[in-house]
Amino acid sequence: MLAARLFHRHQSGPWLVWLHGLLGDSTEWLPIINQLKDYPSLALDLPGHGQSVNISCTGFAPVSSLINATLAQYQIEDYYLIGYSLGGRLAMYHACYSRPSGLKGLIIEGGNVGLTDLSEKRQRSINDHYWAERFRHQTFSQVLDDWYRQAVFSQLNDQQRQQLIALRSHNNPQAIADMLEATSLAHQPFMADKLQRIDCPLLYLCGEHDQKFRRLAQQYALPMDLIPEAGHNAHQASPNAFADAIHQFLSHCG
């Protein structure tokens, strides 16, 4: 099972289960979880991250199995799944392919639904291998600096970038590289069609300035809510607005 942190565990009702992005861990959700105290929460450390650093995986299906095992360990039967970036992609896979009977709703923040073009998949595989090799063999802080200069993080200023680098520097670069390749977008099935037919409530959250993922949500007609004054990492940039959006979604789900 995956390492996990439990919050507000004595509250009744469905649980909120949180999946972080690449280089993150369960603690990054704390500012949001602390504003949703009416719900019990389980924040997971994905393989190769946080207290799950020594857990490895070979792809999406094994991670989904680990999520199921962890939920069973904590006897969680009814839950909402919330995932950011890589965590969002894993959450979508879990919802679309594991057919979990207890899933009450799905909240995705900046998660890619997958690629259909084979040349795009090949290019993504090459790109992810490039970054994985850099994580394995180069100075971690320098690779992190370059990582957070990618176009998707263009809204970060220098201070925000340095804060993220400091926050992520505790990671094991070898484990990050392995997870990056195992869960590459090149290996992910295309899921937009399945999401459009999913039989539980779905919310796609996106930073106002995250143009790439705004276009993606619009392209596939996913039910989207914009987080003001935020880029790709909206829950970190605007935790109050992010928590409000989740609260509204949950209240409409009943």
Side-chain angles (χ1 to χ4, degrees):
M1 55 179 281
L2 296 167
R5 290 177 171 85
L6 288 81
F7 303 90
H8 320 312
R9 61 190 303 171
H10 299 300
Q11 295 288 1
S12 60
W15 285 68
L16 307 182
V17 178
W18 307 81
L19 305 180
H20 60 78
L22 189 75
L23 292 162
D25 62 31
S26 55
T27 63
E28 73 177 62
W29 294 113
L30 278 173
I32 316 298
I33 291 172
N34 287 335
Q35 296 186 61
L36 296 167
K37 294 181 179 179
D38 291 338
Y39 301 89
S41 276
L42 181 78
L44 303 180
D45 284 334
L46 294 175
H49 294 74
Q51 299 302 309
S52 298
V53 65
N54 294 321
I55 298 176
S56 59
C57 78
T58 56
F60 287 82
V63 179
S64 190
S65 295
L66 284 166
I67 292 171
N68 280 332
T70 309
L71 293 172
Q73 176 68 26
Y74 290 105
Q75 300 180 325
I76 294 174
E77 297 179 351
D78 297 325
Y79 61 99
Y80 292 91
L81 196 54
I82 305 157
Y84 162 64
S85 196
L86 169 60
R89 297 194 286 120
L90 292 166
M92 287 186 281
Y93 183 94
H94 181 77
C96 292
Y97 288 92
S98 291
R99 303 185 182 280
S101 59
L103 183 64
K104 300 302 180 185
L106 185 63
I107 301 173
I108 304 302
E109 176 194 0
N112 200 314
V113 298
L115 303 173
T116 57
D117 185 85
L118 288 179
S119 64
E120 287 185 351
K121 287 190 172 187
R122 283 194 294 269
Q123 185 55 48
R124 182 57 181 246
S125 182
I126 292 168
N127 186 65
D128 285 345
H129 178 69
Y130 161 80
W131 280 107
E133 286 296 281
R134 290 198 62 189
F135 279 127
R136 291 183 180 112
H137 301 297
Q138 297 182 13
T139 303
F140 193 33
S141 59
Q142 181 58 59
V143 181
L144 286 175
D145 185 81
D146 291 341
W147 178 267
Y148 287 115
R149 292 182 187 276
Q150 294 181 94
V152 71
F153 298 112
S154 62
Q155 292 301 314
L156 296 174
N157 59 38
D158 287 339
Q159 181 182 2
Q160 291 169 327
R161 186 180 302 109
Q162 291 306 313
Q163 287 173 340
L164 272 175
I165 292 168
L167 188 64
R168 306 310 194 201
S169 293
H170 71 280
N171 279 290
N172 179 326
Q174 306 298 321
I176 294 298
D178 291 345
M179 185 62 171
L180 173 60
E181 289 196 300
T183 57
S184 170
L185 193 61
H187 306 318
Q188 176 184 312
F190 180 73
M191 295 182 283
D193 52 346
K194 292 183 179 295
L195 290 172
Q196 289 162 350
R197 300 192 303 270
I198 198 167
D199 57 0
C200 69
L202 167 67
L203 175 63
Y204 194 95
L205 292 174
C206 188
E208 176 187 9
H209 304 304
D210 190 352
Q211 298 300 327
K212 175 181 177 179
F213 288 94
R214 283 185 68 170
R215 287 194 298 269
L216 184 148
Q218 291 165 347
Q219 178 181 355
Y220 297 112
L222 301 178
M224 179 175 58
D225 195 356
L226 292 179
I227 306 300
E229 301 300 320
H232 183 57
N233 195 334
H235 71 271
Q236 184 177 59
S238 301
N240 294 340
F242 193 90
D244 287 345
I246 292 180
H247 190 271
Q248 290 225 359
F249 173 76
L250 295 173
S251 64
H252 289 148
C253 292

